[in-house]
Amino acid sequence: MNLSLDMSLVEGYKSKPQQARIMKESWVARNIYCPNCGSHPINGFENNRPVADFYCSQCSEEYELKSKNGKFSSIIPDGAYSTMLERIQSERNPNFFFLNYSTECKVKNFAVVPKYFFTPEVIVKRKPLAPTARRTGWVGCNIDIRKVSTRGTIFLIKDSLVVNQDEVLSKFQQTLFLREQSAGSRGWLLEILKCLDWIPTNEFTLNEMYAFEDYLKRRYPKNNYIKDKIRQQLQVLRDQGMIEFLGGGRYKKLYL
Ligand SMILES: [Zn+2]
């Protein structure tokens, strides 16, 4: 995998955003494989016209590229808030690729976030534009990746190091069961995965999970059986191979 964006591609272009877009999209098309099936390359071009989305012709997964130049941050500015919110709740929502590169055009981080990890709280509303702005009152959004469970942010390149492809594919596969769930069950599982992120150790106890009862009660105020729900969700995660039951109220995460 070549971690340099190809600057020779954009010599004839004057507009900086256009230059950046061409370099990034051609880099993804040349270097990135489909995290769902491993097929390479994935298509970024239809009818010889560059488009923002990537499409895998093997498995039909779709990816939308978001990027950030400079320091890696978990907050990525995006377009209109209402449009984004509508998109993440629709059937046609793509998976997201996040690309972070240095001012010297070297790729530092590249991650995929499967679409079902995008809950409305990941999309944060920005302040409306000031009355002096050209598009006054327009409300944009930020994507806050910190609000995605760590299992939902799968790095292909991390801190300039390329992650083993088999590891990436198996991590992606391990999240696919979430796609089959109804929105309600998926919401619970994503909350439980987030609670697991907050436990710093690999092994944990049921009591440590019960400590999130108040947090979960705030998320689901109508549910009066939070502890039962926690145990039930842990069983689902065990059946999906994400955690192991060690017995005696002790568990082990199978992925860090
Ligand atoms: Zn594919």
Side-chain angles (χ1 to χ4, degrees), residues 34 37 56 59:
C34 170
C37 73
C56 174
C59 71

Side-chain angles (χ1 to χ4, degrees), residues 3-240:
L3 299 190
S4 299
L5 301 183
D6 186 353
M7 292 195 259
S8 70
L9 289 172
V10 295
E11 277 159 6
Y13 293 87
K14 285 202 175 71
S15 138
K16 287 256 186 254
Q18 198 178 17
Q19 285 181 349
R21 186 173 58 79
I22 290 168
M23 283 196 298
K24 290 181 296 196
E25 289 183 356
S26 94
W27 181 84
V28 173
R30 284 181 194 174
N31 291 282
I32 293 299
Y33 51 88
C34 170
N36 182 45
C37 73
S39 162
H40 177 268
I42 46 175
N43 273 320
F45 302 92
E46 266 170 23
N47 309 322
N48 295 324
R49 212 162 50 88
V51 290
D53 292 324
F54 292 90
Y55 170 77
C56 174
S57 53
Q58 286 294 316
C59 71
S60 309
E61 281 297 305
E62 289 179 358
Y63 303 92
E64 184 170 314
L65 181 63
K66 306 280 176 198
S67 64
K68 193 146 193 307
N69 177 265
K71 204 167 158 276
F72 184 64
S73 128
S74 312
I75 303 203
I76 292 161
D78 203 68
Y81 175 72
S82 54
T83 314
M84 189 62 175
L85 209 57
E86 205 175 289
R87 285 191 56 208
I88 62 157
Q89 288 165 324
S90 85
E91 288 290 314
R92 297 274 309 152
N93 183 28
N95 303 292
F96 285 88
F97 278 154
F98 287 103
L99 164 67
N100 161 236
Y101 59 102
S102 70
T103 39
E104 296 80 34
C105 291
K106 294 262 190 254
V107 175
K108 295 198 296 190
N109 294 285
F110 190 90
V112 58
V113 177
K115 49 189 163 190
Y116 28 90
F117 281 92
F118 274 84
T119 54
E121 65 162 359
V122 174
I123 312 302
V124 183
K125 209 174 190 171
R126 288 205 303 263
K127 278 193 193 140
L129 292 185
T132 48
R134 193 160 52 88
R135 286 180 298 166
T136 198
W138 184 84
V139 181
C141 70
N142 290 323
I143 301 173
D144 187 348
I145 310 181
R146 287 171 307 182
K147 294 188 174 151
V148 175
S149 146
T150 53
R151 276 149 200 79
T153 313
I154 302 166
F155 283 91
L156 284 75
I157 298 169
K158 189 162 192 191
D159 300 329
S160 308
L161 292 175
V162 178
V163 179
N164 177 290
Q165 181 172 333
D166 289 341
E167 189 182 324
V168 172
L169 297 184
S170 98
K171 278 188 177 175
F172 194 94
Q173 289 302 314
Q174 209 180 21
T175 67
L176 285 179
F177 76 97
L178 288 163
R179 189 179 293 199
E180 315 302 328
Q181 313 281 323
S182 67
S185 334
R186 185 160 58 233
W188 262 104
L189 285 164
L190 292 174
E191 287 296 347
I192 295 293
L193 285 173
K194 237 189 292 179
C195 295
L196 286 175
D197 287 345
W198 291 326
I199 298 178
T201 50
N202 204 12
E203 283 190 26
F204 61 98
T205 64
L206 189 55
N207 279 335
E208 283 176 282
M209 284 305 288
Y210 284 164
F212 298 113
E213 190 179 1
D214 287 348
Y215 164 79
L216 292 166
K217 182 75 187 166
R218 284 196 298 278
R219 306 287 301 158
Y220 294 97
K222 287 190 189 136
N223 191 310
N224 293 319
Y225 305 98
I226 301 280
K227 282 182 173 161
D228 294 346
K229 198 74 185 175
I230 291 173
R231 287 197 308 277
Q232 183 202 64
Q233 300 301 299
L234 290 174
Q235 278 168 19
V236 176
L237 293 177
R238 176 200 57 192
D239 294 345
Q240 296 302 331

